[in-house]
Amino acid sequence: MSEELVNDIKEALIPINDPHMGISIVDMGIVQNIAVDGDQAEITLKPTNPGCMSITRIAADAKIRAENVEGVEKVIITVEGHAMSEAINEMINK
């Protein structure tokens, strides 16, 4: 079931585009990992630029879309490789 849920979450994230490139965050490799444990999903995002101004919006959109996937109750987003990763992760996962 968890592999199917991972695929469902990935599908839900495909429509989110990098606003500067107009390409899906999945296709660009910004989505580094999706892990599922029961009804909780953990998504790791890594922007292409450590100063990316759009990663907060991307992270928020990813969290909302993943939470709307059937079978997912909680989503934790982890942004890595960004100058403000710690602050973004704290804000997104409140």
Side-chain angles (χ1 to χ4, degrees):
M1 171 68 180
S2 68
E3 187 175 329
E4 183 179 324
L5 203 47
V6 168
N7 289 332
D8 290 347
I9 293 167
K10 187 175 183 180
E11 287 292 320
L13 301 180
I14 288 173
I16 302 171
N17 288 333
D18 177 287
H20 305 288
M21 301 296 291
I23 300 170
S24 168
I25 63 170
V26 172
D27 294 338
M28 284 185 70
I30 292 172
V31 177
Q32 294 281 300
N33 190 50
I34 301 169
V36 173
D37 184 11
D39 61 1
Q40 179 172 304
E42 295 186 33
I43 301 169
T44 304
L45 304 175
K46 185 174 183 182
T48 57
N49 175 341
C52 175
M53 300 291 283
S54 303
I55 194 63
T56 304
R57 168 85 326 220
I58 290 169
D61 288 348
K63 184 172 176 98
I64 290 166
R65 285 188 161 274
E67 286 175 339
N68 285 322
V69 172
E70 187 175 334
V72 175
E73 292 299 318
K74 182 176 181 179
V75 176
I76 297 170
I77 301 288
T78 302
V79 174
E80 295 179 343
H82 189 276
M84 300 289 294
S85 291
E86 192 174 313
I88 293 167
N89 291 336
E90 185 178 326
M91 179 183 64
I92 291 295
N93 295 305
K94 279 189 173 183

